[in-house]
Amino acid sequence: MPDDISPYPSSARGFMGLIGARKTGYSDGYARFELDIGPHLLNPMGIPHGGVYASILDTTLGSSGCWEGNPDTFRPSVTLNLNVSYLAQPRGTRLICEARRVGGGKSIYFSEGEIHDETGVLIARASGTFKVITRR
């Protein structure tokens, strides 16, 4: 990636960009991503695939501990553990995922988060452990 392109702009790149996720909130200890539910995200039952929930939770929880002072950059990290509880199916058409860093130290941190739809239905919760790594 060229140096002049932000590695994590307000519209996500890579896999999250491929599925259509957008970063809509980001500050020290907090991250928010949103994703419109489209046919490419559905399982055979017509609801979003569980991997979609796990992916947006993983990214949002990981991002909540990666603040380095600028909303368009982040400290890179990897997921060490992710626990997801699937609670309900959405009634709306947009997934809203919010996460907060809840503890840890300089290199290992813990985050918790949840997914709601725009109608307020709580769809999934997660907790995770992440490790800050050196930027390549």
Side-chain angles (χ1 to χ4, degrees):
M1 173 181 312
D3 290 335
D4 61 334
I5 295 178
S6 172
Y8 220 48
S10 54
S11 294
R13 295 187 183 272
F15 179 72
M16 295 309 288
L18 179 67
I19 65 172
R22 305 172 303 286
K23 182 176 61 175
T24 58
Y26 189 42
S27 60
D28 190 16
Y30 172 81
R32 175 180 166 135
F33 279 76
E34 297 185 31
L35 175 61
D36 294 324
I37 300 171
H40 63 293
L41 303 176
L42 304 180
N43 65 19
M45 296 184 300
I47 59 175
H49 189 282
V52 172
Y53 302 137
S55 294
I56 196 167
L57 282 160
D58 183 40
T59 295
T60 309
L61 269 69
S63 296
S64 73
C66 291
W67 179 259
E68 61 179 10
N70 181 332
D72 290 328
T73 64
F74 68 102
R75 298 179 312 159
S77 68
V78 294
T79 305
L80 300 177
N81 182 306
L82 183 68
N83 297 302
V84 179
S85 296
Y86 301 93
L87 305 170
Q89 57 186 352
R91 284 187 286 202
T93 60
R94 184 172 9 112
L95 303 177
I96 302 163
C97 187
E98 294 182 282
R100 286 160 191 78
R101 179 183 168 140
V102 295
K106 289 176 87 173
S107 64
I108 304 282
Y109 62 94
F110 310 102
S111 298
E112 296 177 349
E114 63 280 328
I115 300 172
H116 291 85
D117 69 9
E118 79 277 13
T119 72
V121 172
L122 177 59
I123 297 164
R125 285 189 175 139
S127 62
T129 307
F130 303 85
K131 179 175 178 45
V132 175
I133 60 171
T134 302
R135 191 178 315 273
R136 292 182 183 203

